[in-house]
Amino acid sequence: MLEFLSCRLTRTFKIAEMSVELDVFVGNTTIMDEEVYQFWLDGYTVNEAVRVRMEGGVLEECEASAEVLHSDTMDQFRTFQMCERLLHSPAKLANQLLFQIPPHRQAMLIERYYAFDSAFVREVLGKKLSKGTKKDLDDVSAKTGITLKSCRRQFDNFKRVFKVVEELKGSLVENIQQHFLLSDKLARDYAAIVFFANNRFETGKRKLQYLSFQDFAFCAGQLINNWTVGAVDNMVEDMDVDLDKEFLQDLKDLKILITDKDMLDQHKSLVCTALRGKTKVFNEMEANFKNLSRGLVNIAAKLLNAKDVRDFFIDLVEKFIEPCRSDRWTAGDIRLFLTHYTNSAHILDTFKHQIVWDRYMGVIKSCILKMYHD
């Protein structure tokens, strides 16, 4: 806690007839208490942080006075504020000479500075990272209970990362790691945030409220790894940010699965033959096959339009997840159905779009299974 106490010296000097007492702090390594850093990140004032530290028993633990505790907290807050401009470009932290901070402490400062609250990111995910959205942070703060100062820091971090990496070639995750020195997990979360902001996916509708940020982040990873231009060519502009337009165009060819009556009937027959006796909801699967197939294929056929891309998750919920949930399908039933639904298309005599089909259904299956929960 109060690490500085071991090197605190008090000296009294007599100048003329005045007695002046000075507190002298001697040291080289910059003192940074992780708990105090978190208070600063969370938007606490110095007095609020002092109160929480006192309630935690730090005065008894360190045998310090309230004045010393206040002085220490204020000094550390000041240090963090001076470090903040370096944290905006984390690589600069290692090369500056003003603060003597060991590498492991630098990593901690960066990782915590760019960490975010799941409740906060869930409110802004998919929205444009603009001044308009930033003006609404008062409402987000009131709704989530996160201080406005912390909301602004997190929003500014999202916007900063987005601006740096949106035009870069190469892997989105690797670019974020390279420029911001984040852990693999945090870099992947930021990749999801950048990807959602770029494509403006709708996440705020009531029917989507049950989904967590990690649900969406998983789906973003699937889309980035399979449906972006970078999934097939790793040296193009914006490779992991923009969806592959050529692939989206090819998805229109999948409509034959629902417009050709003979093919639709054959597909249903193959899937139902494979499923019979393997699930308690077989009758529901058989009865709803055509509606579910139309839902999945129509989602694919519309993805060339920006608005339909934005509605991708709401469409998955409305066209597939809700009907299955109402018929009490288990996650195992979903997996079984989608596996046979995907594989059976390869046996259809006149269906010639297997590569596009597998690229599409691989992501659809993974996302639906992630999203299918209470």
Side-chain angles (χ1 to χ4, degrees):
M1 287 277 181
L2 299 172
E3 300 175 40
F4 72 87
L5 289 177
S6 60
C7 60
R8 182 174 182 268
L9 305 176
T10 301
R11 289 289 183 268
T12 302
F13 299 89
K14 286 191 175 180
I15 303 174
E17 295 302 317
M18 290 195 308
S19 180
V20 181
E21 188 175 271
L22 300 175
D23 284 345
V24 181
F25 298 86
V26 180
N28 184 29
T29 301
T30 303
I31 301 299
M32 291 181 171
D33 186 302
E34 292 187 26
E35 182 184 46
V36 179
Y37 183 49
Q38 194 60 54
F39 291 148
W40 178 74
L41 291 174
D42 289 341
Y44 284 48
T45 64
V46 170
N47 287 338
E48 289 169 341
V50 168
R51 188 187 73 250
V52 176
R53 296 181 82 188
M54 289 176 68
E55 290 171 353
V58 68
L59 293 184
E60 294 77 11
E61 182 183 333
C62 298
E63 298 181 358
S65 68
E67 290 77 11
V68 169
L69 182 67
H70 188 279
S71 177
D72 170 59
T73 305
M74 186 164 59
D75 183 60
Q76 293 201 56
F77 268 44
R78 192 181 299 116
T79 299
F80 300 141
Q81 287 162 2
M82 289 191 291
C83 284
E84 189 165 19
R85 63 181 178 80
L86 299 172
L87 290 167
H88 291 171
S89 301
K92 292 181 179 178
L93 197 60
N95 300 320
Q96 54 79 39
L97 301 175
L98 183 60
F99 303 103
Q100 302 300 309
I101 307 171
H104 74 279
R105 272 295 165 98
Q106 291 181 25
M108 180 276 293
L109 291 174
I110 295 166
E111 191 80 359
R112 287 203 185 182
Y113 188 78
Y114 283 91
F116 52 82
D117 293 289
S118 57
F120 174 77
V121 70
R122 189 62 187 81
E123 291 296 317
V124 300
L125 188 66
K127 292 183 179 178
K128 192 173 183 180
L129 300 175
S130 62
K131 290 181 179 178
T133 305
K134 191 171 184 178
K135 287 180 182 177
D136 296 333
L137 294 184
D138 291 47
D139 296 332
V140 175
S141 173
K143 181 177 179 180
T144 60
I146 299 165
T147 64
L148 181 58
K149 183 178 179 182
S150 181
C151 287
R152 285 174 175 162
R153 172 183 60 82
Q154 295 177 58
F155 181 83
D156 288 342
N157 286 345
F158 297 164
K159 188 173 182 178
R160 184 180 309 111
V161 173
F162 181 90
K163 283 190 169 184
V164 168
V165 302
E166 66 172 329
E167 301 294 341
L168 295 178
K169 293 181 181 180
S171 162
L172 186 53
V173 174
E174 290 176 7
N175 284 335
I176 291 171
Q177 285 183 300
Q178 179 183 342
H179 285 83
F180 292 93
L181 310 181
L182 305 182
S183 67
D184 182 73
K185 173 67 172 68
L186 191 55
R188 290 183 186 282
D189 285 346
Y190 266 90
I193 293 165
V194 169
F195 184 70
F196 267 68
N198 183 69
N199 292 285
R200 304 289 300 283
F201 288 107
E202 174 60 61
T203 67
K205 292 283 178 66
R206 183 179 58 81
K207 288 184 178 181
L208 298 176
Q209 289 304 305
Y210 79 98
L211 295 168
S212 69
F213 167 71
Q214 287 304 327
D215 291 333
F216 284 120
F218 172 85
C219 293
Q222 293 295 308
L223 291 162
I224 290 169
N225 291 332
N226 295 283
W227 287 6
T228 60
V229 183
V232 291
D233 182 357
N234 63 4
M235 284 310 293
V236 294
E237 295 290 344
D238 306 345
M239 60 161 284
D240 278 353
V241 178
D242 295 325
L243 295 173
D244 181 355
K245 292 288 194 292
E246 188 175 329
F247 166 65
L248 299 183
Q249 184 70 46
D250 291 342
L251 287 176
K252 288 189 172 185
D253 295 334
L254 301 182
K255 285 208 77 170
I256 193 172
L257 285 168
I258 56 174
T259 56
D260 185 318
K261 186 178 183 304
D262 291 339
M263 189 178 292
L264 178 58
D265 289 339
Q266 187 186 0
H267 194 191
K268 177 181 177 179
S269 176
L270 288 168
V271 174
C272 290
T273 298
L275 292 174
R276 186 172 280 108
K278 294 181 179 177
T279 171
K280 293 179 181 179
V281 292
F282 173 78
N283 291 336
E284 289 81 356
M285 287 183 176
E286 186 176 37
N288 289 330
F289 178 88
K290 291 185 178 180
N291 284 335
L292 293 175
S293 187
R294 288 190 185 102
L296 293 178
V297 173
N298 281 328
I299 289 172
K302 295 192 303 179
L303 282 175
L304 199 57
N305 304 315
K307 181 189 181 303
D308 292 305
V309 169
R310 288 199 292 271
D311 290 339
F312 174 69
F313 293 100
I314 195 75
D315 285 343
L316 281 183
V317 169
E318 291 181 346
K319 304 289 195 265
F320 193 89
I321 291 174
E322 283 186 342
C324 295
R325 191 182 282 150
S326 68
D327 283 339
R328 299 177 183 272
W329 292 27
T330 66
D333 294 328
I334 295 283
R335 184 183 301 276
L336 189 67
F337 177 85
L338 290 175
T339 298
H340 288 292
Y341 177 73
T342 304
N343 295 342
S344 295
H346 288 265
I347 309 173
L348 298 171
D349 296 333
T350 53
F351 184 63
K352 306 298 182 185
H353 310 289
Q354 281 86 356
I355 294 175
V356 173
W357 175 246
D358 284 346
R359 186 178 175 188
Y360 174 68
M361 282 306 301
V363 170
I364 291 295
K365 178 181 175 182
S366 296
C367 289
I368 288 175
L369 286 170
K370 186 67 175 178
M371 295 164 66
Y372 196 76
H373 61 79
D374 293 332

